[in-house]
């Protein structure tokens, strides 16, 4: 909430899950998550992360991540996961961004979700392109950029979700992968 007028400017959902419960997650509608069912640590699906588009304060994301950090620390969460969305369904708009995901941020094979959705863009298998880093970062959604800066990883394909008018990639973040300096910054806000 914004202090000046108590307006809601950001919200997100957090759903604690065990490996056996992962099929109940929102992400499981679009991704085959059987591999993550074997993950033995505490997991939380982060979803519906929304920021008021009129609110331009960069501290909004920082404070939201601080709140998530407090929850992760208090509950011993070891893996955050969810879907990170690109606006629109035109894959051509995001070729540099997904080329960068392929080159630098694909998830570990042992946890990588398999294809489940009927319409996907298999960028890791089909894209043969060296990313233009500047263009890639300009097209990368802010939430996904934040995950990647903390050591996050993505699926090898993007779901084409025409109902939500998005392309989204499964996104995972093992808490132990977050660089110590980033953890200190997040905990300072928490």
């Amino acid at each position: 909430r914004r202090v000046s007028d108590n307006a809601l400017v950001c919200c997100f959902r957090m759903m604690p899950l065990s490996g056996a419960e992962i099929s109940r997650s929102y992400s499981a509608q679009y991704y085959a998550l059987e591999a993550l069912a074997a993950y033995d640590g505490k997991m939380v699906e982060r979803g519906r992360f929304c920021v008021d588009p009129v609110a331009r304060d960069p501290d909004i994301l920082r404070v939201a991540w601080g709140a998530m950090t407090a929850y992760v620390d208090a509950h011993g969460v070891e893996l955050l996961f969810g879907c990170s969305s690109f606006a629109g369904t035109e894959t051509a708009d995001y070729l540099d961004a997904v080329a960068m995901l392929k080159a630098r941020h694909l998830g570990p094979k042992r946890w990588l979700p398999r294809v489940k959705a009927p319409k996907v863009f298999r960028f890791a298998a089909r894209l043969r392109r060296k990313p233009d880093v500047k263009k890639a970062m300009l097209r990368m959604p802010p939430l996904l950029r934040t995950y990647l800066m903390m050591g996050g990883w993505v699926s090898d394909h993007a779901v084409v979700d025409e109902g939500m008018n998005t392309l989204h990639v499964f996104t995972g973040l093992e808490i132990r992968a977050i660089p110590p300096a980033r953890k200190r910054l997040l905990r300072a806000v928490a």
Side-chain angles (χ1 to χ4, degrees), residues 63-76:
V63 170
W65 276 102
M68 276 194 276
T69 299
Y71 182 91
V72 164
D73 285 347
H75 294 90

Side-chain angles (χ1 to χ4, degrees), residues 5 11 14 16 26 53 71 74 81 122 124 127 137 144 167 169 185:
D5 61 1
C11 63
M14 295 184 68
Y26 174 84
Y71 182 91
F81 71 90
R122 297 174 187 254
L127 194 60
M137 293 313 288
L144 180 54
L167 293 171
V169 290
L185 289 171

Side-chain angles (χ1 to χ4, degrees), residues 61-73 80 146 149-150 173 175 178-190:
L61 265 178
R62 191 173 57 82
V63 170
W65 276 102
M68 276 194 276
T69 299
Y71 182 91
V72 164
D73 285 347
L80 284 175
T146 303
M149 287 187 312
M150 290 192 287
L173 174 62
I175 305 307
I178 301 172
R182 176 72 58 175
K183 283 182 183 178
R184 282 191 300 279
L185 289 171
L186 289 167
R187 288 184 175 126
V189 176

Side-chain angles (χ1 to χ4, degrees), residues 26 30-31 83-86 157-161 166-170:
Y26 174 84
Y30 301 100
Y31 301 92
C83 299
S84 296
S85 300
F86 292 85
H157 63 284
V159 171
V160 180
D161 189 337
T166 62
L167 293 171
H168 55 80
V169 290
F170 182 90

Side-chain angles (χ1 to χ4, degrees), residues 5-81:
D5 61 1
N6 203 32
L8 183 64
V9 293
C10 178
C11 63
F12 53 87
R13 171 184 53 76
M14 295 184 68
M15 183 176 179
L17 296 162
S18 69
E21 300 169 318
I22 201 160
S23 64
R24 293 186 7 219
S25 70
Y26 174 84
S27 302
Q29 295 176 63
Y30 301 100
Y31 301 92
L33 301 176
E34 291 81 10
L36 275 177
Y39 193 87
D40 61 358
K42 291 184 179 182
M43 295 185 280
V44 168
E45 182 180 42
R46 176 264 330 137
R48 303 290 185 214
F49 198 118
C50 301
V51 177
D52 181 344
V54 176
R56 300 263 183 227
D57 186 342
D59 283 339
I60 293 170
L61 265 178
R62 191 173 57 82
V63 170
W65 276 102
M68 276 194 276
T69 299
Y71 182 91
V72 164
D73 285 347
H75 294 90
V77 174
E78 296 176 45
L79 175 71
L80 284 175
F81 71 90

